[in-house]
PDB file of all heavy atoms in Angstrom:
ATOM      1  N   GLU B 310      62.678 101.754 111.615  1.00  0.00           N
ATOM      2  CA  GLU B 310      61.408 102.004 110.778  1.00  0.00           C
ATOM      3  C   GLU B 310      60.211 101.470 111.526  1.00  0.00           C
ATOM      4  O   GLU B 310      60.285 100.324 112.059  1.00  0.00           O
ATOM      5  CB  GLU B 310      61.443 101.382 109.409  1.00  0.00           C
ATOM      6  CG  GLU B 310      62.390 102.218 108.425  1.00  0.00           C
ATOM      7  CD  GLU B 310      63.628 101.536 107.987  1.00  0.00           C
ATOM      8  OE1 GLU B 310      63.710 100.268 107.977  1.00  0.00           O
ATOM      9  OE2 GLU B 310      64.533 102.278 107.917  1.00  0.00           O
ATOM     10  N   ILE B 311      59.188 102.350 111.618  1.00  0.00           N
ATOM     11  CA  ILE B 311      57.894 101.870 112.317  1.00  0.00           C
ATOM     12  C   ILE B 311      56.942 101.727 111.285  1.00  0.00           C
ATOM     13  O   ILE B 311      56.657 102.663 110.499  1.00  0.00           O
ATOM     14  CB  ILE B 311      57.538 102.942 113.365  1.00  0.00           C
ATOM     15  CG1 ILE B 311      58.625 103.044 114.384  1.00  0.00           C
ATOM     16  CG2 ILE B 311      56.190 102.501 113.932  1.00  0.00           C
ATOM     17  CD1 ILE B 311      58.277 103.756 115.518  1.00  0.00           C
ATOM     18  N   PHE B 312      56.431 100.452 111.094  1.00  0.00           N
ATOM     19  CA  PHE B 312      55.308 100.329 110.064  1.00  0.00           C
ATOM     20  C   PHE B 312      53.961 100.473 110.778  1.00  0.00           C
ATOM     21  O   PHE B 312      53.613 100.068 111.959  1.00  0.00           O
ATOM     22  CB  PHE B 312      55.418  98.745 109.732  1.00  0.00           C
ATOM     23  CG  PHE B 312      56.751  98.420 109.050  1.00  0.00           C
ATOM     24  CD1 PHE B 312      57.719  97.681 109.913  1.00  0.00           C
ATOM     25  CD2 PHE B 312      57.185  98.934 107.920  1.00  0.00           C
ATOM     26  CE1 PHE B 312      58.965  97.514 109.423  1.00  0.00           C
ATOM     27  CE2 PHE B 312      58.354  98.717 107.323  1.00  0.00           C
ATOM     28  CZ  PHE B 312      59.242  97.973 108.047  1.00  0.00           C
ATOM     29  N   ILE B 313      53.212 101.291 110.055  1.00  0.00           N
ATOM     30  CA  ILE B 313      51.950 101.715 110.547  1.00  0.00           C
ATOM     31  C   ILE B 313      50.746 101.483 109.484  1.00  0.00           C
ATOM     32  O   ILE B 313      51.180 101.174 108.366  1.00  0.00           O
ATOM     33  CB  ILE B 313      51.917 103.254 111.033  1.00  0.00           C
ATOM     34  CG1 ILE B 313      52.211 104.098 109.710  1.00  0.00           C
ATOM     35  CG2 ILE B 313      53.033 103.517 111.953  1.00  0.00           C
ATOM     36  CD1 ILE B 313      52.030 105.504 109.914  1.00  0.00           C
ATOM     37  N   ILE B 314      49.480 101.757 110.062  1.00  0.00           N
ATOM     38  CA  ILE B 314      48.496 101.941 109.117  1.00  0.00           C
ATOM     39  C   ILE B 314      48.198 103.396 109.384  1.00  0.00           C
ATOM     40  O   ILE B 314      47.685 103.735 110.514  1.00  0.00           O
ATOM     41  CB  ILE B 314      47.260 100.986 109.263  1.00  0.00           C
ATOM     42  CG1 ILE B 314      47.648  99.487 109.261  1.00  0.00           C
ATOM     43  CG2 ILE B 314      46.276 101.293 108.264  1.00  0.00           C
ATOM     44  CD1 ILE B 314      48.087  99.025 108.216  1.00  0.00           C
ATOM     45  N   CYS B 315      48.367 104.243 108.384  1.00  0.00           N
ATOM     46  CA  CYS B 315      48.141 105.716 108.564  1.00  0.00           C
ATOM     47  C   CYS B 315      46.692 106.005 108.736  1.00  0.00           C
ATOM     48  O   CYS B 315      45.797 105.265 108.334  1.00  0.00           O
ATOM     49  CB  CYS B 315      48.813 106.511 107.498  1.00  0.00           C
ATOM     50  SG  CYS B 315      47.925 106.437 105.909  1.00  0.00           S
ATOM     51  N   ASN B 316      46.453 107.139 109.408  1.00  0.00           N
ATOM     52  CA  ASN B 316      45.120 107.587 109.609  1.00  0.00           C
ATOM     53  C   ASN B 316      44.332 107.598 108.505  1.00  0.00           C
ATOM     54  O   ASN B 316      43.056 107.184 108.395  1.00  0.00           O
ATOM     55  CB  ASN B 316      45.018 108.950 110.381  1.00  0.00           C
ATOM     56  CG  ASN B 316      45.592 108.732 111.729  1.00  0.00           C
ATOM     57  OD1 ASN B 316      45.484 107.756 112.294  1.00  0.00           O
ATOM     58  ND2 ASN B 316      45.959 109.935 112.371  1.00  0.00           N
ATOM     59  N   GLN B 317      44.735 108.086 107.327  1.00  0.00           N
ATOM     60  CA  GLN B 317      44.088 108.095 106.063  1.00  0.00           C
ATOM     61  C   GLN B 317      43.476 106.627 105.621  1.00  0.00           C
ATOM     62  O   GLN B 317      42.364 106.480 105.299  1.00  0.00           O
ATOM     63  CB  GLN B 317      44.905 108.510 104.915  1.00  0.00           C
ATOM     64  CG  GLN B 317      44.887 110.099 104.769  1.00  0.00           C
ATOM     65  CD  GLN B 317      45.007 110.464 103.354  1.00  0.00           C
ATOM     66  OE1 GLN B 317      45.963 110.039 102.532  1.00  0.00           O
ATOM     67  NE2 GLN B 317      44.044 111.251 102.932  1.00  0.00           N
ATOM     68  N   CYS B 318      44.419 105.695 105.791  1.00  0.00           N
ATOM     69  CA  CYS B 318      44.003 104.405 105.278  1.00  0.00           C
ATOM     70  C   CYS B 318      43.101 103.817 106.490  1.00  0.00           C
ATOM     71  O   CYS B 318      42.083 103.131 106.148  1.00  0.00           O
ATOM     72  CB  CYS B 318      45.267 103.452 105.242  1.00  0.00           C
ATOM     73  SG  CYS B 318      46.242 103.846 103.897  1.00  0.00           S
ATOM     74  N   LEU B 319      43.391 104.104 107.685  1.00  0.00           N
ATOM     75  CA  LEU B 319      42.378 103.700 108.868  1.00  0.00           C
ATOM     76  C   LEU B 319      40.899 104.114 108.535  1.00  0.00           C
ATOM     77  O   LEU B 319      40.063 103.465 108.820  1.00  0.00           O
ATOM     78  CB  LEU B 319      42.879 104.201 110.167  1.00  0.00           C
ATOM     79  CG  LEU B 319      44.065 103.314 110.750  1.00  0.00           C
ATOM     80  CD1 LEU B 319      44.512 104.029 112.041  1.00  0.00           C
ATOM     81  CD2 LEU B 319      43.642 101.946 111.036  1.00  0.00           C
ATOM     82  N   SER B 320      40.877 105.387 108.108  1.00  0.00           N
ATOM     83  CA  SER B 320      39.555 105.890 107.695  1.00  0.00           C
ATOM     84  C   SER B 320      38.969 105.507 106.458  1.00  0.00           C
ATOM     85  O   SER B 320      37.903 105.994 106.148  1.00  0.00           O
ATOM     86  CB  SER B 320      39.678 107.534 107.810  1.00  0.00           C
ATOM     87  OG  SER B 320      40.282 107.947 106.625  1.00  0.00           O
ATOM     88  N   GLY B 321      39.679 104.589 105.866  1.00  0.00           N
ATOM     89  CA  GLY B 321      38.975 104.030 104.587  1.00  0.00           C
ATOM     90  C   GLY B 321      39.323 104.714 103.319  1.00  0.00           C
ATOM     91  O   GLY B 321      38.731 104.295 102.282  1.00  0.00           O
TER      92      GLY B 321
END
Side-chain angles (χ1 to χ4, degrees):
Chain B
E310 279 109 33
I311 299 191
F312 302 105
I313 63 171
I314 306 294
C315 72
N316 283 338
Q317 270 216 305
C318 288
L319 280 175
S320 69

